[in-house]
């Protein structure tokens, strides 16, 4: 605003810089009009492109207003919110693992890993039983992707290389919207029992 009743204000977008994901420092964009427009008469700022949080975390705009005699500047920061627009993916289709048949509960038998391009993705791993209520010697750490020897209980079956030398288990990973699957082949090593 300008206290002078008869003055006309002119708004201009001086510069736009972005903070690229995974890089330090701001990057000045050569053509800010590809992303933003600023109405010179009333100062209305509009977006003219879609933003992607996987490309830029935020944009820093340098705005100027002038009445022909005096000029003022301000900085406006536009933060880009992340959408869950990418599907997680395992780093391999089949993961190997191995464990001794006398391994204590909690022993790691295999490790799976998935990635998600969404900046704010939170992944959750799970064992997938092919038959509901099926018995398994394993449990899954939902946050780390580790498959461990389970605690004895109703759905637990003991490891025994003579009975089953390899366990093919299936795992899933979810980002809260999408879920994908992989196979894990865990070899049971003989404990000379």
């Amino acid at each position: 605003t300008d206290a002078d009743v008869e003055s006309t204000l002119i708004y201009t977008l001086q510069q736009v810089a972005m903070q690229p994901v995974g890089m330090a420092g701001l990057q000045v964009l050569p053509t800010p009009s590809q992303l933003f427009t600023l109405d010179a008469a009333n100062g209305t700022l509009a977006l003219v492109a879609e933003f992607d949080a996987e490309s830029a975390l935020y944009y820093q705009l340098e705005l100027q207003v002038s009445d022909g005699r005096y000029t003022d500047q301000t900085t406006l920061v536009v933060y880009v919110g992340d959408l869950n627009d990418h599907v997680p993916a395992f780093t391999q289709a089949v993961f190997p693992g191995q464990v001794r048949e006398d391994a204590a509960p909690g022993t790691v038998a295999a490790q799976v890993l998935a990635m998600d391009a969404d900046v704010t993705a939170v992944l959750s791993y799970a064992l997938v039983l092919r038959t509901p209520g099926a018995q398994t010697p394993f449990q899954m750490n939902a946050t780390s992707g580790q498959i461990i020897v389970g605690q004895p209980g109703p759905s637990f079956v003991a490891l025994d290389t003579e009975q089953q030398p390899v366990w093919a288990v299936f795992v899933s990973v979810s980002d809260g919207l999408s879920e994908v699957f992989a196979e894990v082949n865990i070899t049971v090593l003989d404990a000379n029992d």
Side-chain angles (χ1 to χ4, degrees), residues 62-84:
E62 301 296 329
L63 305 171
Q64 179 177 294
V65 62
S66 175
D67 65 1
R69 182 172 178 196
Y70 297 102
T71 300
D72 196 15
Q73 289 187 320
T74 191
T75 300
L76 175 69
V77 178
V78 177
Y79 290 94
V80 180
D82 191 23
L83 295 175
N84 189 353

Side-chain angles (χ1 to χ4, degrees), residues 15-162:
Q15 175 179 295
V16 174
M18 67 180 262
Q19 173 60 61
V21 172
M23 295 178 64
L26 292 173
Q27 176 183 9
V28 176
L29 302 178
T31 52
S33 62
Q34 291 178 339
L35 299 174
F36 301 95
T37 60
L38 182 67
D39 188 306
N42 64 22
T44 301
L45 182 69
L47 308 175
V48 294
E50 289 187 18
F51 295 144
D52 188 359
E54 288 79 42
S55 299
L57 301 173
Y58 65 86
Y59 293 88
Q60 181 175 301
L61 289 70
E62 301 296 329
L63 305 171
Q64 179 177 294
V65 62
S66 175
D67 65 1
R69 182 172 178 196
Y70 297 102
T71 300
D72 196 15
Q73 289 187 320
T74 191
T75 300
L76 175 69
V77 178
V78 177
Y79 290 94
V80 180
D82 191 23
L83 295 175
N84 189 353
D85 57 348
H86 294 278
V87 174
F90 280 103
T91 56
Q92 19 187 124
V94 179
F95 290 88
Q98 67 179 22
V99 65
R100 287 177 48 98
E101 66 183 343
D102 62 350
T107 301
V108 176
Q111 172 75 53
V112 299
L113 179 63
M115 308 297 249
D116 192 317
D118 290 315
V119 175
T120 58
V122 176
L123 299 179
S124 179
Y125 298 94
L127 276 179
V128 179
L129 299 177
R130 290 183 256 184
T131 306
Q135 291 186 318
T136 177
F138 304 110
Q139 293 176 335
M140 182 108 208
N141 183 310
T143 54
S144 72
Q146 288 183 332
I147 298 173
I148 61 172
V149 175
Q151 296 288 337
S155 64
F156 178 80
V157 62
L159 290 167
D160 186 345
T161 194
E162 286 81 20

